[in-house]
Amino acid sequence: MKHLNALPWRLLSLSFAGLVFLTLLLLLADFAGVPKGVVNGFFLVVSIIGYALIGMFCRTANPEEYFVAGRRISAPVNGMATAADWISAASFIGLTGLLLSDGFVGDGQHPGGLSYLLGWTGGFCLLGFLFAAKLNQSQAITIPDFLGRRFDSAAVRWLAAWGAILCSSIYLVAQIYGIGLVASMLSGLTFELGVFLALGGVLLCSFLGGMRAVTWTQVVQIVVIVVSMVVLAMAVSFKTHGHPFVTVAAVQSLPEIQVRAKQIQADPAELETRAAIHQRISQLDIKIADPIKAREMERQSIAKQVAKAKAENAPLREIQKLEANPAWREISVDRLVSAWQVEREVLRQAIQRPVGFQVPNLEGWNPGWNNTLALIFCLMLGTASLPHILVRSYTTATPLQAQRSVVWALAFIVVVYLCASSLAVLLKSYVLTDLVGAHLDHLPDWADRLKLRKLALLSIQDHNQDGIVQFADIRLFNDYLVLGLPEMTHISSVFIGLLAAGALAAALSTADGLLLTISNALAQDLYFQTASPNAPPLRRVMLSKILLMVVALLAAWFATNRPVSILFWVTSAFSLAAATFFPVLLLGIYWRGMNRVGALMAMVSGLLITLYYIAANHPWLQMHLKLQPSDTVWLGLDPVCAGVFGVPVGLLFGYLGSKLSKTLKN
C-alpha cells in the first residue's frame, strides 16, 4: 500500500523534472538555430509517446481497476486527475481569447468571460457540498449505475445512460477538435491528420488501462498544463513589465488600456468604420429577406466588375477577390443565405465587442445581465452534473477524500484561470497599442504572421477604406488565439511548443475521461446491466475497450467536419448535463419521496426542453423553417443558456411525477 501511495508522487516529480529538462533543452536548440517546426514537433511527439507509455504501463483487465481505478486514489492525486479532466481545450486555449474579445462583463447583450470563470469554479463548490461524498458512498461504477440502483429501475438506468452519452459526446467532439488544432499547428500536418495522430495517444492510454491508466496520465497532464500556463504567463509578464508576477502586470496594464480604449471610442475614423458596418448589416438584411433577387443583382454587378478588371489587365489577385464573393460561387440559395447570415453575425460581433474592459452605457439592468446570470447558473449546475467529472468521486477510498479531492482540483484550476485572465489583459494592450491605428501596409510583424498562418488567428477588413486599422476592423479567432501569444509578445518560439503541449494535455486528458464515460455507459449500463447481467468480468472490460475505440473514431470523424466553435459545443454540453442530471441527482439524494416515475419525468422533461431551445435557435434550423429569432428566443437568453429552462422544469416534473404516482398507486 505504501508503494501505491508513493507511486503518484514519484510520477509527479519525474514529470515535472522531465518537463523542465525538455524545455531547457529546446531553449538551447532554439538559440542554436534549430527550425521552429522541429522544436514544436518534438514537443508533440514526446507528449503523445509519454502518455501512451503510461497507458501501456498501467494496462489492466481487472474491472475494479479499469472502471474506478481500484477505489484507492488519495485526495490530492484524485484532485489533480479531476483538474486535468476538467481543464479542457476550451478552458486552456479558448478562455484567454474569449476574455480578450468579449471582456469580463460582456457588451450589454451577451455575457462576458467572467461568467465562465464564476460558473466553472462555482460548480466545483456545488459538487463538493452536494454530490461527491454521497456518490462515493454508493460504490457504483457509473452515474447511470448510481441512478439505476437508487431507484431500482432499468428504465432510469437506460435513460441516464443515453443522457450521459449525449452530453459527453458533444463535449468529446469539442475536445478532439481542439486536439486537431494543436496537433496540426505543432506538426505542420493537415487538421484531419493531426486529429488522428493525437487520437492514437488517447486510445493507447484509455484503451489499455481504463480509469487506472487515465488517472496516472492525468497526474502528468495537470503538471504539463499548470507549468506551461504559469511559465508562459511569467515569461510574458517579464517581457512586458520586467517582473514575473503576471497578475500584478495585468493590474498595472489596466489603466493604460482604459485610456487607450476611450481614445479609440472617440476617434472619428472608428465611428466612420462602425457606420460602414451598420450599413453593410442593413444591406445583408435586405439580401436575406429576398435572396433570389439579391443573388441575381449581385451576380450582374460582379460580372461587370470582373469584365472591367480583365479589360484593364488588373492583377489576378483583384479578379480572384471579386470571384470569391459567395453570390458568384454559390448555386444553392440556402448556402448563400447561410453565408450572409454568418457575415452578418461576424459584423454584429465587431460592433458589439467592447474596446476595453469597461463597457460604457451599461447603467441599470440590461439583457446582458440576464444572459450573464443565466450562463453562470447553467455552468455551475452543469459542472456539478457532468458524468465524466462525477465519476471521479468513485475512485477515492472514502467520502471525505472525495470531498477533499474537489478542493485540490479547484486549487489547480484557479491557478490556470488566474494566468489566463491576466494574459487576456496583457494581450489586449498589444492589440490596442500596436495594431489599432497601424497602416495596412505596415502592420506589426506579429500581426502579419498571425494572418498568414495556416490556421489564421487574425483577420482585418478595412470597412471604411482608409487604409488604417480600426478596432472594429479586427477579428480575432478566440478558439485558439492564445497559441499565437509567443509571437505577439516576441518571446522564444519554444514557448509556442510548451503552450501547445499544455493545450494538447488539456484536450487529451478531458477526451480520456469522456471516452471512458461513453464506452462504459454503452457497455456497462446499456448492454450488460440489461441484456447480459451475468457476463464474466473480462468480457465486460473487453467490450468497453472495443466500444471506446469505436466512439473515438466516430468523434474524430465528426470533429474533422469542424461543425461549430469549441466554446458553443462545450457550453451546450453544460446546459444539457445540468438539465438532465442535476434535478434527478438533487431530488434523488436529498428527498426520500423521489421515485422512479419522478426520476424519469425529471430527466425527460429537462432534456427535451433544453434540446428544443438549443435547436430552435440554431441559425441552420431557423433558416430552413423561416423562423425569426424573436419567435424562438425566450426572455432574450442565448441558446447556450438553455439549461436555465430545463433545470426548473426537471425539478418541477420530478416532484409532480413522484407525488402523482404515489397518489394514483394509493
Side-chain angles (χ1 to χ4, degrees), residues 61-110:
N62 184 300
E64 191 82 355
E65 293 284 349
Y66 186 87
F67 292 117
V68 288
R71 302 189 196 273
R72 60 169 180 265
I73 307 300
S74 64
V77 174
N78 198 56
M80 296 173 72
T82 303
D85 220 347
W86 168 251
I87 300 176
S88 61
S91 297
F92 193 88
I93 65 177
L95 184 59
T96 297
L98 174 70
L99 290 167
L100 187 154
S101 178
D102 295 356
F104 287 88
V105 298
D107 56 16
Q109 295 293 326
H110 304 286

Side-chain angles (χ1 to χ4, degrees), residues 296-311:
E296 189 60 32
M297 291 179 63
E298 194 151 346
R299 279 183 173 178
Q300 292 176 6
S301 175
I302 294 170
K304 292 178 182 179
Q305 294 178 55
V306 169
K308 181 180 178 182
K310 290 180 178 179

Side-chain angles (χ1 to χ4, degrees), residues 263-340:
Q263 293 173 350
I264 292 171
Q265 289 163 353
D267 186 358
E270 178 71 23
L271 298 176
E272 183 182 345
T273 296
R274 292 175 179 269
I277 293 175
H278 278 293
Q279 184 178 2
R280 176 59 181 167
I281 291 175
S282 298
Q283 293 172 353
L284 289 171
D285 288 335
I286 295 171
K287 291 179 179 180
I288 293 170
D290 190 356
I292 297 177
K293 180 181 178 182
R295 180 180 62 176
E296 189 60 32
M297 291 179 63
E298 194 151 346
R299 279 183 173 178
Q300 292 176 6
S301 175
I302 294 170
K304 292 178 182 179
Q305 294 178 55
V306 169
K308 181 180 178 182
K310 290 180 178 179
E312 296 176 353
N313 292 321
L316 181 61
R317 181 177 59 184
E318 292 185 11
I319 298 174
Q320 290 176 338
K321 184 178 179 181
L322 290 170
E323 293 177 341
N325 190 302
W328 183 264
R329 293 183 292 107
E330 296 290 355
I331 299 175
S332 169
V333 174
D334 289 344
R335 292 175 61 184
L336 181 58
V337 170
S338 179
W340 284 336

Side-chain angles (χ1 to χ4, degrees), residues 278-424:
H278 278 293
Q279 184 178 2
R280 176 59 181 167
I281 291 175
S282 298
Q283 293 172 353
L284 289 171
D285 288 335
I286 295 171
K287 291 179 179 180
I288 293 170
D290 190 356
I292 297 177
K293 180 181 178 182
R295 180 180 62 176
E296 189 60 32
M297 291 179 63
E298 194 151 346
R299 279 183 173 178
Q300 292 176 6
S301 175
I302 294 170
K304 292 178 182 179
Q305 294 178 55
V306 169
K308 181 180 178 182
K310 290 180 178 179
E312 296 176 353
N313 292 321
L316 181 61
R317 181 177 59 184
E318 292 185 11
I319 298 174
Q320 290 176 338
K321 184 178 179 181
L322 290 170
E323 293 177 341
N325 190 302
W328 183 264
R329 293 183 292 107
E330 296 290 355
I331 299 175
S332 169
V333 174
D334 289 344
R335 292 175 61 184
L336 181 58
V337 170
S338 179
W340 284 336
Q341 288 176 332
V342 169
E343 182 184 355
R344 182 178 62 181
E345 183 60 27
V346 169
L347 293 175
R348 283 179 175 172
Q349 291 176 359
I351 56 178
Q352 290 175 349
R353 191 173 63 239
V355 179
F357 289 107
Q358 293 178 359
V359 183
N361 304 321
L362 276 188
E363 298 178 1
W365 200 264
N366 58 74
W369 291 119
N370 292 334
N371 272 302
T372 295
L373 294 176
L375 184 58
I376 292 173
F377 176 87
C378 294
L379 294 177
M380 285 185 65
L381 272 59
T383 298
S385 307
L386 282 170
H388 77 287
I389 298 297
L390 290 172
V391 77
R392 299 279 351 163
S393 300
Y394 298 141
T395 58
T396 59
T398 65
L400 181 60
Q401 286 186 328
Q403 287 183 313
R404 287 179 175 175
S405 69
V406 175
V407 179
W408 279 97
L410 194 55
F412 289 103
I413 291 167
V414 166
V415 171
V416 174
Y417 284 179
L418 281 175
C419 290
S421 304
S422 302
L423 287 173

Side-chain angles (χ1 to χ4, degrees), residues 73 142 195 239-240 254 301 327 387 422-423 461 469 492 501 549 659:
I73 307 300
T142 64
V195 167
K239 180 73 175 181
T240 56
L254 278 174
S301 175
S422 302
L423 287 173
Q461 184 174 352
V469 179
S492 172
M549 182 176 295
K659 285 292 187 180

